[in-house]
Amino acid sequence: MNSTSYPSKYAAPKGLFTVGKTRFKWYDLATDLTEISQRDIDNARTCIENATEHFQDIDDLGFVIMHRCGENYLLLVCTWRSENELWESVYYDGSGNFEVWDRNKTHLPTYCVWEMGIVYHESQAWKKYLGTTKEESDQKNYLNDLFEGEV
């Protein structure tokens, strides 16, 4: 069996991103976080704002992972839909603009080893939130519970 060495990547929270009624935590993920440009972040935000999912119309909480993969990006847009399931839309920037990654298959890739560090943290933070009365202060606690570090 051939083994491939996978370098560490770094996750950094970049604040909150609000689209209408939906509030997202924003994470950048890369081997070198300085390679994620503001222009690319702006393009990703425009993609989410104009998504067919209409996040602006749904009162929801979630998180975004802007994952630099070589020269391209995966943009993972995740919401909890106020329940115990994580919903996800995936975009990539193969043409220079973010597009829906058509994954219409029966067995799909979900999260890579680097993304899973963020997803694990978020699942634990959401589990804490589910045990609350879900008041605005509880939502703020969830939104302020951020992950940062090596994955």
Side-chain angles (χ1 to χ4, degrees):
M1 176 160 130
N2 292 338
S3 66
T4 302
S5 175
Y6 287 93
S8 293
K9 290 192 178 187
Y10 299 88
K14 294 297 180 178
L16 298 180
F17 175 57
T18 301
V19 179
K21 297 178 182 179
T22 300
R23 293 178 287 174
F24 295 102
K25 300 178 191 182
W26 189 282
Y27 291 98
D28 286 351
L29 176 64
T31 304
D32 179 358
L33 292 169
T34 64
E35 292 179 350
I36 298 177
S37 73
Q38 188 59 50
R39 181 186 57 108
D40 292 329
I41 291 170
D42 292 343
N43 288 343
R45 289 181 175 190
T46 298
C47 171
I48 297 167
E49 289 167 344
N50 297 311
T52 58
E53 290 87 348
H54 301 286
F55 296 112
Q56 66 274 15
D57 299 331
I58 302 167
D59 188 8
D60 211 348
L61 300 172
F63 59 96
V64 171
I65 301 174
M66 175 87 166
H67 185 175
R68 176 100 176 176
C69 305
E71 297 299 314
N72 296 316
Y73 292 96
L74 285 175
L75 181 64
L76 311 173
V77 182
C78 304
T79 61
W80 293 104
R81 295 284 152 104
S82 300
E83 295 294 336
N84 62 334
E85 295 175 340
L86 184 61
W87 293 53
E88 178 191 44
S89 297
V90 180
Y91 304 87
Y92 70 102
D93 73 333
S95 68
N97 292 310
F98 285 93
E99 304 169 3
V100 171
W101 180 18
D102 183 9
R103 303 183 308 157
N104 192 11
K105 300 174 184 161
T106 55
H107 197 65
L108 306 173
T110 56
Y111 301 103
C112 75
V113 295
W114 301 290
E115 296 158 355
M116 287 174 64
I118 297 168
V119 173
Y120 177 75
H121 172 85
E122 287 300 317
S123 70
Q124 296 303 301
W126 188 253
K127 186 177 175 184
K128 275 193 261 181
Y129 173 75
L130 287 177
T132 70
T133 58
K134 299 177 189 66
E135 302 293 327
E136 184 63 29
S137 62
D138 300 318
Q139 291 179 8
K140 286 181 183 178
N141 287 338
Y142 166 74
L143 291 169
N144 289 322
D145 188 350
L146 302 167
F147 176 80
E148 182 171 11
E150 185 175 343
V151 288

